[in-house]
Amino acid sequence: MSMNTSRQKGPGGMLGFTIVWAGQIVSVMASSMTQFALTIWAYQETGSATALGAISTAFVLPFLLLSPFAGAMVDRYNRKLMMMISDLVAITATFGLLILHFTGHLQVWHLMAAAVVNGLGNTFQWPAYSAAISSMVTKENYSRANGMMSLVESAPAVIAPLLAGVLLPLIGLSGILGLDVLTFFLAIAALLAVYVPQPVKTVEGQAGKGSLLHEAAYGFRYIFARRSLLGLLVFFICLNFVIGLSGSLFAPFILARTGNDSAVLGTVQSAGAIGAVIGGLLIGLWGGLKRRMHNIFIGEALTGLVALVVFGLGRTLPVWVIASVIGQIFPSFVNGSSQAIWQAKVAPDIQGRVFSARRMIAWSMGPITPILAGALADYVTEPAMQSQTWLALLFGPLVGNNSGSGMAVQFVVTGVVYIAIVLFVFLFVPVVRNLEDLLPDHDQMQKIETAPEGEAV
């Protein structure tokens, strides 16, 4: 009888997670190829960068509007089912584009509509998969599992454009879209084959019960009621804001320094993607330091030094390539460790709500920093560095006084500020530095909650 039950459940633990991960990485690879091919098609049709920007906005919009509700639904319903539904939503959008292109009716506005549908699926997918990790693997393997998930994002960025470039002339856009649909079904088959346990119910989870609106708001209330988690989130928001003031200038900085050499830009972008893959592999195999906050502080300090300061000081392709490869290794350790901390500290039956709220807050700076960075470059740093100002006198010996020097200053200054924030929090904000000691893991909390009345725990 027990053997039959085991067969019905399917493999679980790290084996089950690895099966799901393999299905996802193949599916995301094909989706990245589709995105690459559709970008080329849309630009050939319109010649407009604005149209491509509108498609990206259409993808993000559902997340910004619906994320808290998606998190509440992930906690309410079967997570394996929610994961499959998110994949099915994406299949619907891609299959629709396949039919439209095959019949010769595909238009640019169809891509925007499909982006909205795909964004809706992603809004449910991320909290469902993130929360499922803590149910499938032990907390000792959280960092390793998160490192593997980071490869789902980084590996396709290296391989997908190359594959799409080779396959597009052979099978066309319809072939790429058809391959994408097929891999979605592979991802769903992987999910069907494994056992994804539902989280144990906790006192915290029951306290957050109520209407969908009440449950959607609970994720925010949970974070704001815990100073250590809120402090960690504010720490990342500050760093995201600072790095956004230079990081969003990556492409114009390289182009300005090289006289609009797109080949150099592509090489440096690929180098960064390779670095992210290396980082994902390292943390996936090793797991990082046992003290996860140490991974975060060390990783963030080195990110500021290499990815910002060294990158900004660089004036040649070899320096940019080395800085991009090394600089993109550390964020994998930071993100994997941060995710592992949240998975360990937040009760599994409320992770959908809390993770959605957390990501929505963290992304709040996204629409702001590119505008500020561009305005600083166009109206402050670039003009200042090409005239006799104090900024030019101070930084000229380091970055020069030609095109792109102002943006180089932004990289260097934001890198120094980035490192300063990391050091300040490490030295003077113990509520964040000692988070792992101050907040109990959720499994310890469950022991307290389930202990018999009057029994010491």
Side-chain angles (χ1 to χ4, degrees):
M1 184 71 178
S2 60
M3 289 178 63
N4 185 48
T5 303
S6 177
R7 278 198 299 269
Q8 287 177 342
K9 287 182 177 181
M14 276 301 293
L15 174 59
F17 170 76
T18 303
I19 292 171
V20 173
W21 172 83
Q24 280 298 305
I25 200 167
V26 171
S27 177
V28 172
M29 184 76 69
S31 295
S32 298
M33 291 168 56
T34 292
Q35 184 179 12
F36 181 87
L38 287 174
T39 298
I40 294 174
W41 181 88
Y43 195 75
Q44 289 174 341
E45 290 290 311
T46 65
S48 170
T50 304
L52 300 180
I55 294 171
S56 298
T57 301
F59 178 82
V60 173
L61 196 59
F63 177 84
L64 294 177
L65 295 176
L66 300 174
S67 182
F69 299 98
M73 292 179 69
V74 166
D75 287 337
R76 274 189 174 195
Y77 304 113
N78 183 282
R79 284 179 178 167
K80 184 173 179 177
L81 178 63
M82 296 300 295
M83 293 157 78
M84 287 191 288
I85 288 175
S86 67
D87 284 335
L88 286 171
V89 170
I91 288 174
T92 302
T94 306
F95 187 70
L97 293 178
L98 171 60
I99 297 300
L100 288 167
H101 184 262
F102 190 75
T103 57
H105 294 94
L106 185 63
Q107 298 179 35
V108 173
W109 74 266
H110 293 140
L111 303 189
M112 296 181 188
V116 171
V117 177
N118 273 316
L120 182 63
N122 183 261
T123 301
F124 286 85
Q125 185 183 58
W126 186 81
Y129 276 85
S130 298
I133 289 175
S134 59
S135 298
M136 295 185 73
V137 305
T138 62
K139 65 181 181 181
E140 291 78 16
N141 286 318
Y142 285 170
S143 293
R144 186 171 290 108
N146 289 319
M148 292 171 66
M149 287 304 294
S150 73
L151 288 174
V152 174
E153 299 178 3
S154 57
V158 179
I159 303 171
L162 299 174
L163 286 176
V166 171
L167 292 176
L168 199 55
L170 300 176
I171 61 178
L173 179 57
S174 292
I176 298 287
L177 290 167
L179 190 62
D180 195 4
V181 171
L182 177 62
T183 58
F184 274 122
F185 285 108
L186 288 175
I188 292 175
L191 275 171
L192 288 171
V194 304
Y195 173 56
V196 181
Q198 283 296 98
V200 176
K201 291 183 179 180
T202 65
V203 171
E204 290 176 334
Q206 297 306 305
K209 289 291 185 182
S211 67
L212 186 62
L213 182 61
H214 175 85
E215 292 184 10
Y218 181 74
F220 296 94
R221 295 199 305 272
Y222 183 94
I223 293 172
F224 279 88
R226 287 155 180 81
R227 292 178 59 213
S228 290
L229 289 179
L230 179 61
L232 180 62
L233 187 56
V234 171
F235 172 57
F236 282 130
I237 290 172
C238 292
L239 292 180
N240 288 342
F241 177 78
V242 171
I243 201 171
L245 294 178
S246 57
S248 54
L249 299 174
F250 176 86
F253 169 69
I254 296 293
L255 293 174
R257 285 300 214 189
T258 61
N260 294 320
D261 192 329
S262 58
V264 173
L265 175 61
T267 301
V268 180
Q269 285 178 323
S270 297
I274 291 170
V277 171
I278 293 172
L281 286 171
L282 284 174
I283 197 167
L285 295 172
W286 171 38
L289 299 172
K290 185 176 181 181
R291 192 78 172 177
R292 288 164 180 152
M293 286 304 302
H294 289 172
N295 287 325
I296 291 174
F297 286 122
I298 294 171
E300 291 290 28
L302 291 174
T303 296
L305 176 63
V306 179
L308 295 177
V309 175
V310 174
F311 185 84
L313 291 174
R315 302 194 203 184
T316 61
L317 178 60
V319 175
W320 291 326
V321 166
I322 293 171
S324 293
V325 171
I326 297 176
Q328 289 305 312
I329 290 175
F330 306 123
S332 296
F333 283 83
V334 171
N335 295 333
S337 297
S338 173
Q339 184 76 337
I341 286 173
W342 286 84
Q343 287 164 335
K345 303 302 179 183
V346 179
D349 59 337
I350 58 171
Q351 285 185 3
R353 283 165 282 179
V354 174
F355 288 4
S356 291
R358 162 194 161 209
R359 200 181 201 196
M360 188 175 183
I361 295 170
W363 278 20
S364 61
M365 292 290 120
I368 301 171
T369 50
I371 298 171
L372 290 177
L376 278 173
D378 290 339
Y379 301 109
V380 180
T381 58
E382 282 293 310
M385 288 302 294
Q386 295 176 44
S387 58
Q388 293 299 313
T389 63
W390 67 268
L391 199 67
L393 294 174
L394 181 62
F395 287 99
L398 292 174
V399 299
N401 299 99
N402 52 350
S403 180
S405 295
M407 288 181 278
V409 169
Q410 286 180 236
F411 272 98
V412 173
V413 171
T414 55
V416 172
V417 173
Y418 199 90
I419 296 170
I421 292 173
V422 175
L423 291 175
F424 176 82
V425 173
F426 177 74
L427 294 173
F428 302 112
V429 189
V431 72
V432 175
R433 183 182 67 241
N434 300 324
L435 182 154
E436 292 172 273
D437 301 320
L438 294 173
L439 281 179
D441 288 357
H442 64 73
D443 56 352
Q444 296 171 335
M445 294 170 66
Q446 287 172 5
K447 290 177 183 177
I448 294 171
E449 290 156 3
T450 56
E453 289 188 8
E455 182 177 319
V457 291

